Amino acid sequence: MREVIFSADDFGMSVEVNEAIETACRNGLLSTASLMVAGPAAADAVERARRLPGLRVGLHLVVIEGPSVLPPGEIPLLVSPAGMFPSDQLRLGVNYFFRPAVRRQLAREIRAQFEAFARTGLRLDHANAHKHMHLHPTVGGLLVKIGASYGLPAVRIPCEPTEPLQAAGYFAETIGDYVLRQWTRLLRLQVRRAEMAANDYCFGIAWSGHMTADRVAALAAHLPRGVSEIYFHPATHKDALLNRLMPSYEHEAELAALVSPGVRAALRHSGARLITWADVAR
C-alpha cells in the first residue's frame, strides 16, 4: 500500500508561513506542521493550531540558522550574543561531535525546545530538525533520547529515493544525494532502538523550495510502496525574513500545490492513502 503524509516545515517562522499552513490545512491536503518553538511568529502559530483540530503539530528542532530558546548567556558556545545559531553546517557538525562542553549545552537547548513545545499544550505529534540536522549522530541521538521523555512518538527520516524523482522528471543524482541516503540508516537505527515510528521515504529534499503542483502531481504517480512524507515550505508571500533566508524558494507555488485540485486528483488516481503520523505510530 502507498501511504503519504503531507507536511509543512517552519511553522512559526513568520505570519506569512502560518497563514499558508492554515489555508493548506483548511482547504488542501496538509495534515501536519512542524513548529519552530522560538520562531518570531511561534505564538501566532500556536493560536492557529488550537483552532485547527485537523492539524497535527510536531517539533521542528532548531540547532542551526535560527533562534534558540535558552538565553545566549546559558549556551554561549552554541549561539551568538543575539541568540542565533550560526549557518555553518560543517563547523557546527564538528563542534557537536568533538566538543563535550558544546554537547552539554546542546542537550540543554534541545530539552528546552521540547519543554517549550510542552508548554503550548499541543499534542506532540512528531519531531524533525531544521535543515535535517538530526542526521548528525549527536543531534539525532539527543532528539530521540530527550524526546522519549516527552512522549515523542515519531521522527522524520529524510531518505529520498532516486527512482520516483527520475520517473517524475528529476534525473540527475549526485554523490551527495547517495551519501545522504546511506547516512539516514544511522538515524533510522536510533529511532528504531527507541521504539518510535518513522517514515520509509521522504520527498522535498531534491526539490526543496520548488515543490510545485506539476512536480508533486508527477511524483504522486510514482510514489513507492510504504509510508512517504512529502514536506513543503509554503507561505502566502515572501516577507523580508524569507527573502533573506530562502531567496530562491517558491513559497507561494508550494502553497498552491497543497491546495491544487490537480494534485488531489493525481493522488486519488495513484491509489495513495492520505495518513498522519498517528497512523504510522499505531
Side-chain angles (χ1 to χ4, degrees):
M1 182 178 292
R2 296 174 178 86
E3 298 178 311
V4 59
I5 301 167
F6 275 71
S7 68
D9 284 359
D10 300 341
F11 198 28
M13 177 178 280
S14 72
V15 171
E16 289 77 9
V17 171
N18 298 349
E19 289 173 340
I21 287 173
E22 180 170 0
T23 297
C25 179
R26 291 189 184 278
N27 305 320
L29 295 163
L30 189 72
S31 67
T32 305
S34 301
L35 175 67
M36 304 174 78
V37 291
D44 176 78
V46 171
E47 285 303 311
R48 292 175 191 270
R50 287 173 178 161
R51 61 178 184 250
L52 291 169
L55 183 67
R56 278 76 171 181
V57 182
L59 175 65
H60 194 51
L61 182 72
V62 175
V63 293
I64 184 173
E65 200 176 79
S68 65
V69 167
L70 293 175
E74 293 189 27
I75 48 171
L77 299 178
L78 298 185
V79 298
S80 70
M84 297 293 293
F85 285 95
S87 302
D88 188 338
Q89 199 161 18
L90 177 60
R91 183 177 179 183
L92 280 174
V94 170
N95 286 339
Y96 289 165
F97 192 82
F98 288 105
R99 297 181 62 189
V102 171
R103 291 199 302 271
R104 286 192 292 271
Q105 291 188 12
L106 180 65
R108 290 180 60 195
E109 172 63 19
I110 290 175
R111 184 171 295 279
Q113 291 191 31
F114 273 103
E115 185 61 32
F117 189 99
R119 288 197 298 270
T120 68
L122 300 173
R123 181 176 179 178
L124 180 62
D125 180 73
H126 64 277
N128 52 56
H130 194 45
K131 294 185 174 293
H132 307 304
M133 277 297 289
H134 58 315
L135 284 174
H136 188 290
T138 302
V139 177
L142 289 170
L143 181 148
V144 168
K145 180 180 179 180
I146 295 170
S149 64
Y150 288 89
L152 176 64
V155 177
R156 171 193 291 166
I157 310 293
C159 178
E160 188 171 51
T162 302
E163 292 80 3
L165 297 177
Q166 291 175 331
Y170 179 86
F171 58 91
E173 181 181 36
T174 67
I175 293 297
D177 296 330
Y178 174 80
V179 171
L180 177 64
R181 192 165 59 253
Q182 300 307 310
W183 191 251
T184 61
R185 294 179 178 182
L186 176 57
L187 176 61
R188 193 177 297 279
L189 179 61
Q190 291 174 319
V191 172
R192 184 181 296 125
R193 285 176 173 171
E195 299 183 340
M196 295 174 183
N199 53 304
D200 298 304
Y201 308 105
C202 181
F203 296 96
I205 300 170
W207 295 339
S208 184
H210 307 284
M211 298 292 285
T212 61
D214 287 347
R215 283 180 167 179
V216 179
L219 175 62
H222 303 286
L223 287 173
R225 295 186 182 277
V227 176
S228 296
E229 182 187 12
I230 305 178
Y231 73 95
F232 296 78
H233 297 88
T236 51
H237 63 273
K238 294 176 78 74
D239 63 359
L241 181 61
L242 296 178
N243 270 320
R244 178 168 62 84
L245 295 178
M246 294 168 274
S248 67
Y249 275 28
E250 300 175 80
H251 293 91
E252 299 97 329
E254 295 210 358
L255 170 57
L258 284 166
V259 298
S260 166
V263 171
R264 187 182 292 275
L267 277 171
R268 186 167 56 249
H269 183 73
S270 75
R273 184 169 75 99
L274 290 172
I275 63 168
T276 67
W277 283 111
D279 298 308
V280 184
R282 285 176 183 165

